[in-house]
């Protein structure tokens, strides 16, 4: 098993936050996060070539993991640190260590951290009180 490295995120100024209690709210998160990043509505069938779309995908995957493997509510925060965005996703199961699902067939789930590792500049996790944080850092678009 390969585990995500334990480390605190870079300091950030929070821009926006979303609290999720169920997977049904993920669609709202995707649209609202894209709009917070770009100031524009997420286009239907958006191509994952651009940083905002990759951030939306990673945020959705991390929030899905938090809802599935942690204890809701799940909070997703968007922040900024200089020339970078920071996503921070929390749940209330600090004893569940984030791990990569290696060797799992496509479509069998478990690729969220793999996508985050591929698309983000850096990722990590840490525990604060009874809350687990998984974060990912991205360059500003443009």
């Amino acid at each position: 098993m390969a585990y995500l490295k334990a480390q605190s995120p870079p300091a950030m100024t929070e821009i926006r936050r979303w609290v999720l209690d169920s997977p049904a709210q993920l669609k709202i998160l995707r649209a609202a996060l894209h709009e917070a990043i770009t100031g524009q509505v997420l286009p239907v069938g958006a191509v994952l070539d651009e940083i905002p779309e990759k951030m939306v995908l990673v945020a959705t995957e991390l929030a899905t993991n938090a809802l599935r493997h942690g204890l809701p509510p799940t909070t997703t925060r968007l922040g900024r640190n200089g020339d970078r965005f920071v996503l921070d996703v929390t749940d209330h199961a600090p004893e569940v260590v984030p791990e990569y699902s290696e060797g799992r067939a496509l479509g069998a789930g478990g690729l969220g951290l793999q996508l985050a590792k591929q698309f983000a500049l850096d990722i990590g996790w840490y525990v604060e009180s009874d809350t687990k944080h998984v974060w990912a850092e991205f360059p500003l678009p443009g």
Side-chain angles (χ1 to χ4, degrees):
M1 299 266 165
Y3 293 99
L4 183 61
K5 65 183 170 187
Q7 71 179 33
S8 295
M12 71 173 190
T13 301
E14 186 174 311
I15 298 170
R16 186 122 185 245
R17 77 171 48 206
W18 300 267
V19 178
L20 310 174
D21 296 309
S22 74
Q25 295 170 305
L26 292 168
K27 183 177 181 180
I28 295 166
L29 171 65
R30 285 191 293 271
L33 179 59
H34 188 275
E35 189 168 358
I37 295 166
T38 66
Q40 300 175 10
V41 176
L42 178 64
V44 175
V47 179
L48 296 176
D49 288 337
E50 301 297 324
I51 291 166
E53 285 77 17
K54 290 178 181 177
M55 287 180 63
V56 167
L57 177 62
V58 169
T60 302
E61 291 291 332
L62 295 180
T64 299
N65 286 349
L67 289 166
R68 182 175 292 147
H69 304 292
L71 296 173
T74 293
T75 301
T76 300
R77 296 185 310 143
L78 172 65
R80 186 166 173 177
N81 177 5
D83 63 350
R84 296 183 177 189
F85 279 124
V86 179
L87 289 172
D88 180 62
V89 179
T90 67
D91 67 55
H92 301 285
E95 70 283 356
V96 179
V97 176
E99 63 182 273
Y100 296 106
S101 297
E102 297 176 340
R104 192 175 285 178
L106 287 176
L111 294 177
L113 289 177
Q114 296 286 2
L115 290 172
K117 183 178 176 182
Q118 179 181 347
F119 292 152
L121 296 172
D122 199 9
I123 60 173
W125 75 286
Y126 67 102
V127 172
E128 183 176 70
S129 186
D130 67 342
T131 304
K132 176 178 61 214
H133 296 254
V134 178
W135 58 269
E137 189 176 38
F138 296 85
L140 295 179

